[in-house]
Amino acid sequence: MKPSHLWSLFFCFAFNLVKSQGYRLPETLIPSRYEVDLVIPEAAFSAQSANFTGSVSIQFTANTTTSEINLHHRVYATSILLNDSAGGSISAANNTYNETTEILTIYLVEALVVASTYTLQIEYTAAFETSAMRGFYTSTYLDENNATAYLLTTQLQPTSARHAFPCFDEPQYKAVFAINLTYPSEYNALSNTESVSNDAFNSSHTKSVYKDTTTMSTYLIAFIISKFTCTTGDTIENGVDHRVCSRDEEKKDRAWAVEVGTPLLRTLESMTGIRYANYMPKMDQVAIPDFSAGAMENWGLVTYRETGLLFSEEHTSNVYKKSIALVIAHEFTHMWFGNLVTCKWWDYTFLNEGFARFYQYFASAVTQQLLDWELEKHFIVEQVHTALLADSTTGAQALTSTATTASQVSGKFSTISYNKGASIYRMIETNIMGSDNFIYGIRHYLAENQLTGTVPDDLWTSLAKFVPSVALPNNTGLSTVLENWVELSGHPVVTATKRGNDIILSQERFLLSGNDTTEYYVPITYTVSSDVTKFSNTTVKAWLVPGGTLTLSNVLEDSSWIILNNRQSGFYRVNYDSSLWSAILAQLSSNHLVIDVLNRAQIVSDAYNYARAGRNGGYGTWNYTDAMLVLKYLENEVDYYPWYAAIIGNNHLLQRIGYDSEEGQKFTAWMLKLMQKVYSTVPFDTLDSSNQVYTMKQILILARVCRYGDADCISSAKRLFANYRQNGVSVPKNLRTVVYCNALRHSDDVQGDFDFLWQQYTQTKLSSEIMTIYSGLGCAENTTVLKWYLGQTINSTSGIRVQDFTSVWSYVYSSGKTGTLASLEYIEENYAALKDAYSNVGSLISGISNYIYDEEQLAKLSALSNITGLTLSHQTSVETALNSSANAITWAQLLKEDIVTYLDAEDAAAGVAMSRSSSCLLLFALLALLNRVFY
């Protein structure tokens, strides 16, 4: 068949319209090898709009008789040729292209022979993406001479490999890839493997030919053409290099990633039992200036936002240092979970992302440089608590849920797949299998399924081989135990009721609103007051199964309280009857250290969420009065994790009632009383960046104490900022977030302080410092200043990147009432320009509505309905936001009443306690005055 055959109709974009054939390819053809050859013109590295040209040769076999070839593309084909294994051409009768599914269907005049090998050759042109940051796209930055420099890079996950080259763009279709890149000679090029030659193509271009990859999915292919330089770290093993690459001027900031990368990879090799070098010959990590994702696990060529890889010892806070280590660990975990063994389809994204999130903490926690960071504890408050909240609505996805369209596939990359997936793996490890057996099961899963696509049953089959026989309910297999956790959404709250010395356990699904009858196989662990050493024992002691209750017989003999779910190892919440809560609160009041710190964090998080659900028509009958009774113990708490949980709860409460409302001010004043002891442990003038745990607590506590209005904290922040502005003394790197924000929020010269900080922004190229300044600028209490700032997000000369657009807006509208009003006013006054510059104004409106808590803000939101030229979709966004905001304002009245009720009761109880000369009476006086405990 000649290239000029009937294909010309297709080449001219005279596509035949066809009915939707679905987004998935039929499982009739199996690709085995791609040869991709791309030619990049000089114009691509300039302001000119440029195309690239390419050719791809795909070898495949048919596993069933068919007269069709179906594959994905988003390019402009100029030639298509199909040959059989003998080199003979096969003609096409017709072809169709579905622009929605992006599937090309080639109808052949003869059927393909099962098991025979064919080669499909396509030549094409395509345009570089210039704003979407997906597919094969352009990025820019200012070099050391402040000249605009260009680079080309890729982001192919989940469905954009088809933009770079026609392919079978589904994760299950793995093949070997041979990549060839031709590009201007003054640049360098990277791909997944090492180059075997870099020869002159002509007087201006070089052609790089790369080693064949291992068998891999299309979305893991990557190539970068730039003037970046690289720093080489310790080799992974002999001949397997580890490098960190970026713009040259940031080379000094690669040191942390260089230092920690190789040890993290070696830790993962030890855990998985599989050497990285078995499959890939190098590891390059590259910091990309414009990058929509946080990072991407391309095999052998991992890409990151600059904030995810570059760390300045002088200027970047320890928060970023931690984040960089965890993100590297996450992406490196994917070399095994995702790259070596891949979810068969995105329905099962948690098989990739859940493990990456799990090991980013637990592999890091046993890596030498991170041993004292307590990452296994951070996992609970940062991942488990977040997952529980995301999983608390009737609309929450299950871990396994159908994804068909591109938007549905993107939606699978969510808190559920990442955080809940990781939390379920932790429950399997800690409650059911134990760490050693879990590792054995994981190694079996990887070994049995390497270079293939998997579904959850493949994982359960491997793990089940190493589950101790006594660890599961009678006559129940592992897959049965996990079915509701994975196939259905949600999680339970286990309620403990005291009956003599027995504890009766029951369950129901926890929902913030509504109800559901789903039940789960719940692994029960517990500790009683007579043996607090048991908190460390997370092995399941009994099972609460669907449709029944569980009696823990005589467990309270010689004990006054019981705590369920040791170290919150299981993915569920726990509630107690009034007598058990009274005993727990008495223990927290007298000596909270007796209860494990992670269970204290669990108690705090559960209390907030029970109150939120109870006031929202969801689980239980709690309100915020009950939650505040639990929080009272925090006045003696100085540990990071319970305070982290409390602050997360406070953030939602204050978001709904407003910091500046009367009740909000009363609540923050009360909270400041509780924080005095923990505040005293992390003073402004005691800095220790070498102590990660201390520094994380210091940043957390100082930020909240200042936000709650403590005069001493605010004065310290303003003093450090004044010294910076007046004397050029830089703010200590770990205090900058606190100082910049509070200096602007409480400024005596808002315009001057804002202009000074903006000037510092224009003079730095360090991405982490830029983001820190962005957050500080958003705290300014001046509508005019903030609207100017928002205007810079659509000003092409401001330097604010598209990837940071939503961050800047969020910093403004979440900072307080002034920021919310400024954001709404900006949209109303600049709608046309904003709509032209940003494609998702509806999401901005939705985001702002989450911070509306009074009638003045609601009126400003309503005014958006009257904008001239408002699109129908944005009108809908406004109407939806108005409805949700109005309901939230009504709901907030209940929260305000709860706060006043508690504080009035506490004042009265304090009087009673003082008159009887016993502070211990305060708790019991509160219980009596409230006349209700949790029910």
Side-chain angles (χ1 to χ4, degrees):
M1 179 184 66
K2 299 296 184 182
S4 60
H5 198 54
L6 293 175
W7 304 95
S8 59
L9 293 175
F10 173 72
F11 307 151
C12 296
F13 271 103
F15 297 125
N16 295 316
L17 297 177
V18 294
K19 295 181 180 180
S20 174
Q21 63 193 56
Y23 287 80
R24 299 290 305 278
L25 297 175
E27 297 184 0
T28 56
L29 307 178
I30 307 298
S32 58
R33 179 180 175 82
Y34 291 76
E35 293 185 10
V36 180
D37 200 322
L38 305 181
V39 179
I40 314 302
E42 185 74 42
F45 299 91
S46 68
Q48 297 175 245
S49 176
N51 293 339
F52 64 94
T53 60
S55 65
V56 62
S57 174
I58 309 173
Q59 290 183 7
F60 65 89
T61 57
N63 59 12
T64 188
T65 302
T66 180
S67 299
E68 295 181 9
I69 297 174
N70 296 273
L71 75 161
H72 296 101
H73 81 74
R74 198 161 69 233
V75 301
Y76 179 74
T78 58
S79 171
I80 300 178
L81 182 67
L82 178 64
N83 291 326
D84 59 25
S85 58
S89 64
I90 301 174
S91 298
N94 195 7
N95 61 81
T96 60
Y97 181 70
N98 188 313
E99 294 186 13
T100 302
T101 64
E102 300 178 334
I103 293 177
L104 168 68
T105 301
I106 303 169
Y107 299 96
L108 304 173
V109 297
E110 58 187 271
L112 300 176
V113 177
V114 174
S116 291
T117 300
Y118 298 89
T119 303
L120 179 65
Q121 299 176 33
I122 302 176
E123 295 181 1
Y124 59 94
T125 64
F128 293 108
E129 292 279 2
T130 57
S131 60
M133 291 179 283
R134 67 180 181 185
F136 197 10
Y137 71 93
T138 304
S139 176
T140 63
Y141 60 95
L142 295 178
D143 64 19
E144 52 272 13
N145 299 316
N146 279 329
T148 299
Y150 289 78
L151 70 141
L152 300 170
T153 186
T154 54
Q155 172 58 35
L156 306 186
Q157 189 187 54
T159 57
S160 288
R162 63 195 70 175
H163 175 262
F165 53 93
C167 57
F168 296 80
D169 201 10
E170 296 184 11
Q172 67 173 322
Y173 292 116
K174 296 191 172 193
V176 171
F177 291 82
I179 305 295
N180 304 319
L181 301 174
T182 302
Y183 53 91
S185 298
E186 65 266 34
Y187 292 85
N188 56 66
L190 297 172
S191 190
N192 303 84
T193 58
E194 297 171 312
S195 60
V196 294
S197 65
N198 298 282
D199 298 327
F201 179 76
N202 56 32
S203 60
S204 61
H205 281 64
T206 297
K207 182 172 185 177
S208 293
V209 176
Y210 296 87
K211 292 180 180 178
D212 285 3
T213 70
T214 191
T215 303
M216 58 194 287
S217 303
T218 53
Y219 75 89
L220 295 169
I221 293 297
F223 18 88
I224 300 169
I225 303 168
S226 70
K227 291 186 177 179
F228 284 179
T229 59
C230 302
T231 301
T232 301
D234 291 341
T235 56
I236 299 161
E237 60 179 77
N238 187 35
V240 182
D241 288 338
H242 167 227
R243 303 187 302 171
V244 177
C245 311
S246 71
R247 358 181 218 116
D248 186 64
E249 62 190 300
E250 296 298 333
K251 58 187 174 185
K252 63 184 181 304
D253 300 328
R254 302 171 193 155
W256 173 235
V258 167
E259 175 188 347
V260 78
T262 302
L264 282 170
L265 201 59
R266 288 173 177 163
T267 297
L268 288 160
E269 286 182 324
S270 176
M271 288 180 160
T272 62
I274 298 173
R275 291 165 48 225
Y276 176 77
N278 288 355
Y279 298 95
M280 295 300 283
K282 70 171 178 71
M283 171 57 78
D284 288 337
Q285 301 187 83
V286 186
I288 307 296
D290 295 295
F291 196 62
S292 59
M296 178 59 208
E297 64 268 21
N298 314 300
W299 215 345
L301 182 58
V302 182
T303 48
Y304 301 79
R305 283 195 183 190
E306 290 188 335
T307 52
L309 194 64
L310 302 178
F311 175 82
S312 166
E313 193 66 46
E314 180 181 1
H315 295 291
T316 306
S317 78
N318 281 41
V319 172
Y320 280 104
K321 187 174 189 178
K322 172 190 169 187
S323 175
I324 289 167
L326 293 186
V327 172
I328 291 172
H330 182 102
E331 304 311 320
F332 281 7
T333 300
H334 274 308
M335 301 303 114
W336 290 267
F337 299 92
N339 298 10
L340 180 63
V341 178
T342 312
C343 62
K344 187 174 183 180
W345 177 243
W346 303 114
D347 289 2
Y348 319 113
T349 300
F350 80 98
L351 292 176
N352 291 12
E353 300 298 346
F355 274 118
R357 183 57 52 88
F358 177 85
Y359 280 116
Q360 79 176 61
Y361 283 84
F362 295 108
S364 297
V366 294
T367 298
Q368 183 64 40
Q369 288 85 342
L370 314 175
L371 287 176
D372 60 352
W373 286 21
E374 297 186 353
L375 293 172
E376 69 285 354
K377 296 180 181 178
H378 285 265
F379 179 85
I380 300 301
V381 295
E382 294 173 4
Q383 301 302 318
V384 176
H385 289 186
T386 307
L388 288 168
L389 180 60
D391 199 37
S392 296
T393 66
T394 53
Q397 286 189 342
L399 281 172
T400 293
S401 60
T402 301
T404 302
T405 68
S407 62
Q408 289 171 343
V409 168
S410 294
K412 290 297 294 182
F413 292 82
S414 66
T415 300
I416 296 299
S417 292
Y418 287 70
N419 305 35
K420 182 179 179 180
S423 300
I424 295 301
Y425 294 144
R426 180 174 178 272
M427 181 170 70
I428 295 169
E429 179 196 32
T430 58
N431 289 163
I432 301 174
M433 298 187 70
S435 57
D436 289 345
N437 287 326
F438 187 70
I439 285 291
Y440 298 149
I442 291 305
R443 290 178 176 178
H444 186 275
Y445 169 71
L446 294 173
E448 287 292 306
N449 299 289
Q450 56 188 308
L451 305 179
T452 67
T454 59
V455 298
D457 277 346
D458 296 318
L459 175 60
W460 313 147
T461 297
S462 287
L463 294 180
K465 295 180 181 296
F466 302 93
V467 174
S469 59
V470 296
L472 295 173
N474 291 334
N475 303 313
T476 306
L478 181 65
S479 61
T480 301
V481 166
L482 296 175
E483 182 178 3
N484 282 11
W485 294 102
V486 173
E487 302 296 328
L488 301 176
S489 62
H491 60 274
V493 54
V494 173
T495 299
T497 303
K498 181 180 179 181
R499 189 174 298 167
N501 285 331
D502 295 345
I503 296 294
I504 312 301
L505 303 182
S506 59
Q507 65 165 297
E508 63 179 281
R509 181 178 175 184
F510 178 79
L511 287 169
L512 292 174
S513 63
N515 57 75
D516 185 284
T517 59
T518 305
E519 294 189 354
Y520 309 82
Y521 284 89
V522 186
I524 299 299
T525 58
Y526 59 86
T527 297
V528 293
S529 60
S530 61
D531 189 1
V532 296
T533 64
K534 290 296 190 295
F535 278 112
S536 61
N537 184 355
T538 58
T539 302
V540 61
K541 293 184 177 180
W543 285 93
L544 176 59
V545 301
T549 61
L550 173 66
T551 299
L552 303 177
S553 300
N554 212 34
V555 293
L556 284 184
E557 184 179 12
D558 301 323
S559 293
S560 59
W561 53 257
I562 185 172
I563 299 289
L564 293 168
N565 199 7
N566 290 344
R567 294 183 174 173
Q568 203 166 12
S569 50
F571 190 67
Y572 57 94
R573 300 190 187 277
V574 182
N575 200 359
Y576 304 89
D577 69 16
S578 57
S579 64
L580 292 173
W581 268 120
S582 295
I584 292 169
L585 295 189
Q587 182 63 70
L588 288 172
S589 178
S590 62
N591 182 5
H592 63 282
L593 297 176
V594 169
I595 298 175
D596 186 87
V597 66
L598 295 180
N599 285 103
R600 303 200 305 270
Q602 176 190 15
I603 287 168
V604 170
S605 178
D606 283 351
Y608 268 112
N609 284 283
Y610 294 155
R612 183 172 173 180
R615 276 305 192 194
N616 203 40
Y619 166 79
T621 59
W622 281 55
N623 63 34
Y624 281 90
T625 300
D626 303 323
M628 291 172 73
L629 186 59
V630 174
L631 298 179
K632 176 66 178 174
Y633 103 89
L634 289 170
E635 62 189 342
N636 292 313
E637 180 67 78
V638 297
D639 213 310
Y640 174 83
Y641 308 99
W643 273 111
Y644 186 101
I647 286 167
I648 294 299
N650 290 349
N651 289 348
H652 176 262
L653 174 63
L654 290 164
Q655 178 182 330
R656 293 274 53 102
I657 68 174
Y659 283 84
D660 62 342
S661 69
E662 179 182 353
E663 295 80 7
Q665 291 177 24
K666 287 183 177 179
F667 180 82
T668 53
W670 178 72
M671 188 56 60
L672 282 174
K673 292 179 183 177
L674 300 186
M675 297 188 78
Q676 288 309 299
K677 192 168 185 178
V678 69
Y679 179 34
S680 70
T681 67
V682 287
F684 269 89
D685 57 359
T686 303
L687 303 173
D688 186 2
S689 61
S690 65
N691 186 330
Q692 182 72 12
V693 174
Y694 171 85
T695 300
M696 293 296 289
K697 184 172 79 165
Q698 183 179 46
I699 294 169
L700 176 79
I701 298 302
L702 293 184
R704 290 300 97 189
V705 170
C706 280
R707 185 65 181 99
Y708 298 159
D710 182 85
D712 174 71
C713 185
I714 293 168
S715 176
S716 296
K718 292 178 69 175
R719 172 176 49 80
L720 287 168
F721 189 83
N723 202 23
Y724 183 29
R725 180 179 173 185
Q726 295 165 14
N727 303 316
V729 179
S730 295
V731 177
K733 64 180 186 179
N734 285 310
L735 300 181
R736 289 180 189 178
T737 301
V738 178
V739 169
Y740 293 171
C741 179
N742 286 283
L744 269 290
R745 174 172 283 127
H746 301 282
S747 175
D748 301 315
D749 176 17
V750 178
Q751 188 69 60
D753 286 342
F754 183 94
D755 290 345
F756 167 77
L757 195 54
W758 179 263
Q759 182 64 25
Q760 305 314 301
Y761 154 68
T762 65
Q763 294 176 0
T764 184
K765 294 180 182 178
L766 179 64
S767 54
S768 58
E769 179 67 2
I770 287 171
M771 296 307 296
T772 302
I773 291 175
Y774 283 166
S775 66
L777 293 170
C779 295
E781 283 287 314
N782 182 289
T783 301
T784 301
V785 164
L786 289 178
K787 287 196 289 187
W788 180 88
Y789 182 33
L790 292 174
Q792 300 314 297
T793 64
I794 60 173
N795 179 353
S796 61
T797 65
S798 71
I800 296 177
R801 296 181 179 276
V802 173
Q803 68 185 18
D804 300 325
F805 179 98
T806 54
S807 295
V808 171
W809 273 79
S810 177
Y811 291 142
V812 172
Y813 66 66
S814 67
S815 67
K817 184 173 181 178
T818 301
T820 305
L821 293 173
S823 300
L824 292 169
E825 288 180 14
Y826 185 87
I827 295 174
E828 182 182 9
E829 296 165 3
N830 302 275
Y831 172 73
L834 182 62
K835 176 172 65 70
D836 290 343
Y838 182 63
S839 62
N840 204 0
V841 175
S843 69
L844 287 182
I845 295 170
S846 176
I848 296 167
S849 71
N850 291 323
Y851 291 85
I852 288 175
Y853 58 84
D854 68 13
E855 295 297 332
E856 181 183 4
Q857 295 165 311
L858 192 64
K860 284 287 185 184
L861 175 61
S862 181
L864 300 185
S865 298
N866 301 319
I867 293 174
T868 301
L870 189 68
T871 67
L872 180 60
S873 65
H874 293 160
Q875 179 67 51
T876 301
S877 296
V878 172
E879 292 171 357
T880 301
L882 279 169
N883 183 60
S884 64
S885 296
N887 290 336
I889 290 172
T890 300
W891 182 67
Q893 289 303 121
L894 298 175
L895 278 57
K896 292 176 179 179
E897 292 170 9
D898 292 346
I899 290 168
V900 172
T901 297
Y902 177 85
L903 293 177
D904 287 349
E906 185 175 85
D907 289 343
V912 170
M914 289 183 66
S915 69
R916 297 181 62 179
S917 302
S918 174
S919 60
C920 292
L921 290 173
L922 176 59
L923 173 65
F924 300 105
L926 273 172
L927 295 177
L929 286 167
L930 290 173
N931 196 31
R932 60 188 299 281
V933 186
F934 318 110
Y935 286 98

